[in-house]
Amino acid sequence: MQNIIFWFRNDLRLHDNEAFLEASKAGTVIPVYVFDTRYFEKNFLGLKRTGVFRTKFLLETVEDLRKNLQKLGSDLIVRTGHAEEIIAQIATDLEAAAIYASKEVTQDETTIEALLSKQLKPLNIDIDLIWSATLFHARDLPFQINFLPKVFTDFRKKIEKSTKVRETFDAPTQLAKVEGIDLGHIPTYQELGFESEPVSDERSAFTFTGGETEGLKRLNEYIWQKDLLKNYKETRNGLIGTDYSSKLSPWLSLGCLSPRQVYEEVKKYEAEAGANESTYWLIFELIWRDYFYFMALKHGTRMFKASGIKNDLMKQWSRHKPTFESWVKGETGEPFIDANMREIQLTGYMSNRGRQNVASYLAHNLGIDWTWGAAYFESALIDYDVCINWGNWNYIAGVGNDPQEGRKFDIAQQANFYDPDQAYVKLWLGENIHS
Ligand SMILES: Cc1cc2nc3c(=O)[nH]c(=O)nc-3n(C[C@H](O)[C@H](O)[C@H](O)COP(=O)(O)OP(=O)(O)OC[C@H]3O[C@@H](n4cnc5c(N)ncnc54)[C@H](O)[C@@H]3O)c2cc1C
């Protein structure tokens, strides 16, 4: 049987992984994961692109993936370096016939794909990139990507009317042994440039562990064991604790969970326990997630520029560092903002309600270049997803497609409504809520 390299990227799972399944059918699959050092470098703000909370989650995820592959008779080759060089080297050493991987959509990721493709050309090795990140398959969109509707509601209505979510793929049940190559070790925090692992905070709303196994467990706990889905729409704007929203985002972002798996579980619940607005709303949020992926596909690098996908060159942004730093540290003097910014700094997680408010505050109240906020989120968030993060920031900063021309929140009103007794603010800022 010919050797086929499977390059794991942001699809760190065995269930519903079409690319992996195809690779395992095409020959002896050699699973590889590369800790690409470019993602651990510092960005223009001097922050590591992948901060310590996401690193922890990623390390746990790769460890879990390796264990799950071992259970099927295979293993995971782990390397640290530049993905295109490492994958091409392994392919050469093992005389691989082809590389399979999941397709990505954004600039850095597609650049790496192109670099790999270039390295493979003289070796005459094919690369097969398979779409796997979204609920609705890119090929099933009822329009060409250039005609992606400018408004989310139009997108949602069109796709719900004419497109079916494809069925999930089962995980393979048995795999061939990986032989003739050093498996390599999962890097330590120090090897990735951190002094130590993060300190956990007992106030955290995210207390879970990385990996497909834990992701599937949380999905089951959220929908079935704790029966939380049935009230999701009413609780989702909560601020404290693990259960006000699903907390599936870190697993979805690394691909430990597939959105179609979540969809099927929701449908199963609806069939058994009944559908309601809440059960639909989780799917509605996954459609938002899809929208940002397709937006990234359509608009490319524009999403990362201050002028945004709208190419708004008129809007002037401040780049006043001390003001930005006060936002990062949670020292703006606005308690609701400061509490949220402390939470993200100390845990890597922040509620959706918090994210909307702090992003609006940075862009509209402080007038700071919103790309700084997005880059800070990239470093700090445990669930960072390039499409969702930059897409949401575009939207809130008013340089996206939002017909409302930006989302300026009245912070005091939001705090009164979502944190009426100040329990959240007190949790993060202490009893005397002056930051
Ligand atoms: C400025 C800003 C930046 C954000 N950055 C990210 C990011 O990097 N990664 C990320 O996963 N989410 C991001 N979000 C979206 C959202 O805040 C998180 O997905 C959500 O808070 C995660 O918690 P949950 O899984 O409990 O969400 P739930 O409310 O349980 O939602 C279920 C799932 O739906 C998707 N979803 C929910 N809200 C949104 C949304 N607004 N846009 C797109 N998809 C959504 C997520 O995959 C989420 O896991 C951002 C939102 C804002 C306003």
Side-chain angles (χ1 to χ4, degrees), residues 15 57 64 209-221 248 251 256-257:
H15 75 271
F57 198 81
D64 180 60
T209 308
E212 177 178 15
T213 311
E214 290 299 316
L216 289 168
K217 218 160 104 185
R218 170 61 180 173
L219 181 62
N220 183 53
E221 175 188 73
L248 296 179
W251 292 290
C256 308
L257 276 180

Side-chain angles (χ1 to χ4, degrees), residues 232 245-249 285 349 352 355 383 385 389 392:
Y232 169 71
S245 63
S246 74
K247 305 296 182 299
L248 296 179
S249 55
E285 292 300 337
Y349 186 82
N352 184 55
R355 294 181 206 200
D383 63 10
D385 177 305
N389 185 59
N392 268 290

Side-chain angles (χ1 to χ4, degrees), residues 70-98:
Q70 287 168 349
K71 282 183 201 154
L72 298 182
S74 179
D75 215 315
L76 182 66
I77 296 172
V78 177
R79 297 285 186 271
T80 303
H82 286 185
E84 69 279 10
E85 290 159 17
I86 289 167
I87 299 290
Q89 189 60 52
I90 295 175
T92 311
D93 293 348
L94 296 181
E95 296 177 1

Side-chain angles (χ1 to χ4, degrees), residues 9-13 33 54 57-59 61-62 210-211 249-257 289 382-385:
R9 307 178 80 191
N10 289 312
D11 58 346
L12 298 168
R13 64 173 182 272
Y33 182 76
R54 194 158 75 259
F57 198 81
L58 175 63
L59 290 169
T61 294
V62 173
S249 55
W251 292 290
L252 283 164
S253 297
L254 279 183
C256 308
L257 276 180
R289 180 180 180 275
I382 197 169
D383 63 10
Y384 172 70
D385 177 305

